[in-house]
């Protein structure tokens, strides 16, 4: 492992041509792409070739420069240095005018963004045809367009009802519309930015099957991902970005999970061990909490979380986790029931629960976790701005705030230009680090972690897990709400399941298996629980 | 082809420079209506500049006009910072003026050094009280403050008219709907002898400095900015969102109330129902021109006042309609809003690769 880490440090593993079918000409050639945002080097001298009929996975942590690179390709950004060349249908490489999505489209590059760019109130076919037809013959071409689309759908297996309004389509169907949009415009290179982030496992599998059959027809595909499993199963080649540099370009069959993780993070990841800690007294106690109605209701929820333990709360999203988290966070009062922190019964309010030593990592970190327009430093102290440490007589103590920011940025490795940077510009992982720093540094008694690693890459996830383990080692009681069974089994001492607002009695994780928990999440009591 | 690329980092120089440039362009564009009105453009500009800053008298007029605009501009700027949309500056101004007359026209017999502060406090409190109502309706019932503050303007104006034709009418006014005059002891002193600029300007400047310090350097300002930018994160972080809105509402109303005091106790000496030619609404424009910065409000207010005073004097001399002033102010606002685009984006013309 150590030798590989060294190899990683020395430069690119593999090489641009390591598995290239030598006789084939590249369809796309990125050469020496460099892009700076202020002091941040987002892409540094990146060379990447793409050949017809192959699927390339672009792997990297958040902030590694994957999306920047693809945005340069598609013309959203202009590279500071370097060239993009794309082959004409005849196979001749021509430079692509940069900074122009129109030129990219015309040259045969299709892009499916993570957040779809569809007009929700138009039908599928209208979305696909939007911008492709002449203003002067709006009706003439629709029938032939439909015939062509239907052929594309038959050939690719991408079936979707073209006449339904996009707002009524599922996320998976919307994505199919996006891909059809690219195919209809004769894309020869298809770029997908984190295509599975919004899909169920089933939909993801279908997507990759479709992509494979499209590639077999000669389409070249790049997909951005930080999920190891799909990269390994669905791609022909893996390009790994780290801190804006291309650090590996390897045939997928030569890779394995651990190796890719190491290359991506740039150091060797130790598998985290679930260390047993002595269970302390119950620090968070919920008794008979009921609230709300419909999908977001809670029915008579009682739960105890002890010091030194992580209690995992499993459940499919929308079964009352949101309401439970809001009540524990103090954002909402329950209709009935009570909450105790370390034996003290209290009326939940954000400041009251924080005063009693409960900290919250909110599920939606952009909405509830940070004020995007304010600086990193301000977001680090936002919960404590009234404490004596950061103000006197109502006046902010800027030097104390700055000092705290520097300390937290250092200790939590928050990647940002400095404490004065606007928080909104940071990646999801770094935003989560701000929240971790301001919550866990208080040496809390209780930690509420709601979906703390949702949308984070491996490195950031590992970081969150490590911090939570550290908090547990200090004796904190941690309630981990998650949909990710891997995470729950890896982290939790006990696991409870929430389904339709009811919480099952927690059980030792060691005595449970995934299928039991999976069944309980789907609403079935496991046999021996009754 | 014109393309917009977002800037990742925006320099302060650009933030300050853009509105200044925009205002100059708006002034230049004023040449078109001047020309279409048949006046000589060069003469018109000379007259405008002379009318605004050409003499001590002109400058005094300019500052007297800027005084209420600074205060109503601050009222809008602090409220908008918290995304509390106070469109009711006009009504709060009249409430402040009404309170100033009530306290300053004989009901309190105090020496000047006590009566002037009493009048100022009364006006500020009255403005704050008027803004408290829509603020509470917003935080308690979710009523849209754009609607409630706007409608309150008309309610207040009608109350003022009722008072002026009823209990507060000047018995010596020969039936005119105007209030009793403010006592000599309650009048804000003139800053220059026999000129109209008055101590209300000092009050306005102090208010701007106060607002600037409050927003940037205090816990309350921090909380106002947080609530304005992301109320749900602010609430999650334990910031008292309701209390913050109430604080902002009171402060905003108080600033607008002070503007009313200045007009009554600094300039007119009595209250009529046409005291303000829309200073409350113009304050919104001033705040937007200033990018909601309290110190920027001072500059923007002086600019807007200069356009009004300059265009007034030019239109009298040349016979061009004085609506020209409104036109220039409106164009400045448009230009500043457009210039905001240039602050946040690189604008590239042509499809070729730019080297940046």
């Amino acid at each position: 492992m150590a030798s590989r880490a060294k190899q990683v440090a020395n430069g690119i593993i593999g090489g641009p041509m390591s598995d290239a079918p030598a006789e084939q000409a590249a369809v796309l050639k990125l050469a020496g792409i460099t892009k700076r945002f202020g002091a941040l080097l987002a892409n540094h001298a990146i060379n990447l070739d793409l050949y017809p009929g192959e699927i390339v996975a672009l792997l990297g942590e958040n902030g590694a420069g994957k999306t920047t690179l693809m945005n340069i390709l598609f013309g959203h950004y202009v590279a500071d240095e370097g060239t993009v060349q794309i082959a004409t249908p005849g196979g001749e490489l021509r430079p692509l005018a940069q900074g122009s999505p129109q030129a990219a489209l015309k040259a045969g590059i299709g892009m499916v963004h993570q957040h779809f760019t569809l007009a929700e109130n138009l039908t599928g076919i209208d979305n696909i045809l939007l911008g492709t037809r002449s203003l002067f013959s709006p009706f003439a071409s629709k029938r032939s367009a439909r015939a062509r689309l239907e052929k594309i759908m038959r050939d690719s297996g991408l079936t979707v009802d073209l006449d339904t309004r996009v707002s009524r389509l599922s996320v998976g169907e919307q994505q199919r519309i996006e891909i059809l949009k690219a195919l209809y415009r004769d894309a020869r290179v298809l770029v997908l930015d984190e295509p599975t982030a919004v899909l169920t496992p089933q939909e993801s599998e279908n997507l990759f099957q479709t992509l494979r059959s499209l590639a077999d027809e000669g389409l070249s595909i790049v997909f951005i991902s930080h999920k190891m499993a799909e990269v390994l199963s669905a791609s022909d080649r893996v390009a790994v970005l780290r801190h804006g540099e291309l650090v590996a370009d390897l045939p997928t069959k030569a890779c394995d999970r651990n190796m890719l993780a190491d290359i991506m993070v740039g150091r060797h990841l130790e598998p985290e061990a679930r260390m047993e800690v002595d269970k302390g007294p119950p620090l968070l106690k919920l008794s008979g909490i009921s609230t709300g109605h419909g999908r977001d209701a809670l029915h008579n929820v009682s739960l105890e979380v002890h010091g030194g333990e992580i209690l995992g709360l499993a459940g499919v999203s929308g079964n009352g986790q949101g309401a439970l988290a809001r009540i524990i966070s103090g954002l909402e009062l329950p209709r009935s029931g009570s909450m105790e922190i370390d034996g003290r019964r209290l009326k939940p309010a954000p400041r009251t629960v924080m005063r009693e030593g409960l900290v919250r990592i909110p599920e939606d970190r952009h909405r509830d976790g940070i004020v995007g327009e304010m600086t990193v430093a301000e977001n680090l102290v936002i919960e404590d701005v009234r404490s004596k440490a950061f103000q006197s007589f109502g006046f902010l103590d800027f030097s104390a705030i700055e000092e705290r920011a520097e300390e937290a940025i250092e200790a939590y490795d928050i990647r940002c230009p400095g404490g004065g940077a606007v928080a909104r510009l940071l990646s999801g992982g770094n935003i989560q680090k701000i929240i971790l720093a301001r919550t866990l540094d208080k040496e809390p008694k209780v930690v509420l972690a709601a979906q703390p690693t949702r949308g984070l890459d491996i490195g950031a996830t590992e970081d969150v897990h490590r911090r939570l383990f550290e908090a547990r080692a200090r004796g904190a009681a941690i309630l981990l709400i998650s949909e990710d069974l891997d995470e729950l089994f890896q982290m939790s001492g006990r696991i409870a399941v929430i389904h339709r607002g009811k919480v099952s009695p927690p059980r030792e994780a060691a005595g449970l298996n995934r299928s039991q928990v999976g069944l309980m999440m789907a609403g079935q009591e496991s046999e021996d629980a009754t | 082809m014109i393309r917009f690329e977002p800037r990742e980092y925006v320099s302060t120089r650009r933030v300050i420079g853009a509105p200044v440039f925009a205002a100059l362009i708006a002034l230049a564009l004023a040449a078109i209506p001047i020309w279409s009105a048949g006046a000589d453009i060069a003469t018109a500009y000379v007259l405008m500049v002379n009318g605004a800053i050409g003499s001590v008298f002109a400058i005094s007029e300019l500052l007297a006009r800027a005084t209420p605009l600074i205060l109503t501009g601050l009222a809008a700027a602090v409220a908008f910072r918290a995304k509390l949309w106070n469109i009711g500056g006009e009504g709060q101004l009249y409430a402040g003026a009404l309170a100033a007359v009530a306290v300053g026209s004989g009901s309190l017999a105090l020496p000047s050094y006590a009566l002037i502060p009493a009048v100022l406090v009364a006006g500020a409190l009255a403005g704050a009280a008027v803004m408290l109502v829509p603020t509470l309706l917003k935080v308690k019932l979710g009523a849209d403050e754009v609607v409630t503050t706007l409608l309150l303007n008309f309610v207040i104006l009608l109350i003022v008219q009722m008072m002026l034709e009823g209990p507060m009418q000047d018995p010596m006014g020969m039936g005119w709907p105007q209030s009793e005059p403010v006592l000599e002891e309650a009048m804000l002193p003139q800053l220059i002898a026999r000129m109209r600029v008055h101590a209300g300007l000092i009050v306005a400047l102090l208010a701007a400095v106060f607002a600037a310090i409050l927003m940037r350097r205090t816990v309350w300002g921090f909380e106002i900015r947080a609530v304005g930018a992301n109320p749900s994160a602010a609430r999650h972080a334990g910031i008292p969102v309701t209390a913050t809105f109430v604080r902002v509402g009171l402060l905003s109303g108080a600033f607008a109330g002070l503007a009313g005091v200045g007009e009554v106790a600094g300039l007119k000496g009595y209250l009529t129902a046409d005291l303000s030619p829309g200073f409350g609404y113009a304050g919104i424009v001033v705040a937007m021109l200033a990018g909601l910065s309290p110190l920027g409000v001072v500059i923007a207010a002086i600019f807007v006042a200069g356009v009004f005073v300059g265009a007034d004097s030019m239109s009298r001399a040349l016979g061009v309609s004085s609506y020209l002033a409104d036109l220039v102010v409106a164009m400045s606002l448009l230009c500043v809003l457009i210039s905001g685009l240039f602050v946040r984006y690189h604008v590239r013309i042509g499809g070729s690769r730019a080297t940046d």
Side-chain angles (χ1 to χ4, degrees), chain A residues 49-116:
Chain A
D49 293 357
L50 190 63
Y51 295 91
E54 69 169 346
I55 301 183
V56 172
L58 193 55
L59 182 70
E61 295 193 276
N62 286 330
K66 298 168 298 199
T67 303
T68 305
L69 186 63
M70 289 303 115
N71 277 334
I72 289 171
L73 173 59
F74 195 62
H76 289 312
Y77 295 143
V78 176
D80 297 328
E81 286 160 36
T83 57
V84 179
Q85 286 180 298
I86 182 156
T88 59
E92 186 194 345
L93 279 176
R94 288 256 180 82
L96 174 71
Q98 282 197 42
S100 161
Q102 265 173 320
L105 278 170
K106 216 168 146 195
I109 300 172
M111 186 151 179
V112 177
H113 293 271
Q114 197 176 348
H115 304 284
F116 303 144

Side-chain angles (χ1 to χ4, degrees), chain A residues 57-62 66 114 175 193-205 207-208 223-235 238-240 252 256-257 260-261 264 453-459 461 484 486:
Chain A
L58 193 55
L59 182 70
E61 295 193 276
N62 286 330
K66 298 168 298 199
Q114 197 176 348
Q175 190 175 51
D193 190 357
E194 309 233 356
T196 59
V198 290
L199 300 183
T200 65
Q202 205 69 50
E203 286 174 320
S204 304
E205 208 169 295
L207 170 70
F208 284 120
F223 74 92
I224 297 178
S225 179
H226 56 247
K227 291 183 190 157
M228 236 32 116
E230 65 187 40
V231 167
L232 286 169
S233 70
S235 69
V238 189
V240 185
T252 308
D256 67 47
R257 205 185 171 89
L260 283 180
M264 188 165 109
T453 59
R454 179 187 277 176
L456 299 188
D457 58 49
I458 296 186
T461 300
D484 182 346
D486 289 337

Side-chain angles (χ1 to χ4, degrees), chain B residues 102-184:
Chain B
V103 171
S105 65
S107 55
L108 278 182
L110 288 172
S112 216
Y113 60 81
L115 194 54
I116 289 177
V119 165
L120 288 170
V121 169
L125 286 178
V130 168
M131 187 51 202
L132 183 62
V133 176
T135 309
L136 289 177
L137 287 175
K138 175 192 169 78
V139 296
K140 295 292 175 200
L141 302 173
D144 187 340
E145 74 277 14
V146 173
V147 177
T148 51
T149 54
L150 181 63
L151 292 182
L152 263 178
N153 286 342
F154 304 105
V155 175
I156 303 287
L157 197 59
L158 287 169
I159 291 177
V160 166
Q161 285 173 352
M162 181 188 80
M163 297 305 278
L164 292 183
E165 293 180 28
M168 289 178 79
Q169 193 170 27
D170 185 2
M172 314 297 277
M174 299 187 292
W176 286 103
Q178 66 181 46
S179 73
E180 282 183 72
V182 175
L183 296 179
E184 199 55 42

Side-chain angles (χ1 to χ4, degrees), chain A residues 10 25 46 102 130 143 193 212 236 262 312 355 394 400 480-481:
Chain A
N10 286 344
I46 291 177
Q102 265 173 320
L130 200 65
R143 190 176 303 158
D193 190 357
R212 176 53 67 196
D236 300 318
D262 290 355
R355 198 165 49 229
L480 171 67
I481 301 178

Side-chain angles (χ1 to χ4, degrees), chain B residues 205-232:
Chain B
L205 293 177
L206 289 176
V209 172
F210 170 78
I213 291 173
L214 178 86
M215 297 305 280
R216 287 253 60 103
R217 311 209 145 254
T218 69
V219 174
W220 280 9
F222 184 104
E223 294 179 344
I224 291 168
R225 287 183 286 129
V227 167
N230 185 347
S232 57

Side-chain angles (χ1 to χ4, degrees), chain B residues 66 68-78 80 86-87 89-90 93 256 259 276-290 292 297 300-301 304 308 329 333:
Chain B
L69 289 176
I70 293 172
L71 287 163
T72 55
L74 289 173
V78 295
F80 288 9
N86 178 10
I87 316 295
E90 188 79 356
L93 180 149
S276 158
F279 287 133
Y281 302 107
I284 296 166
V285 178
V286 168
M288 298 304 286
L289 284 174
L292 307 187
V297 160
V304 170
F308 274 123
V329 171
L333 185 61

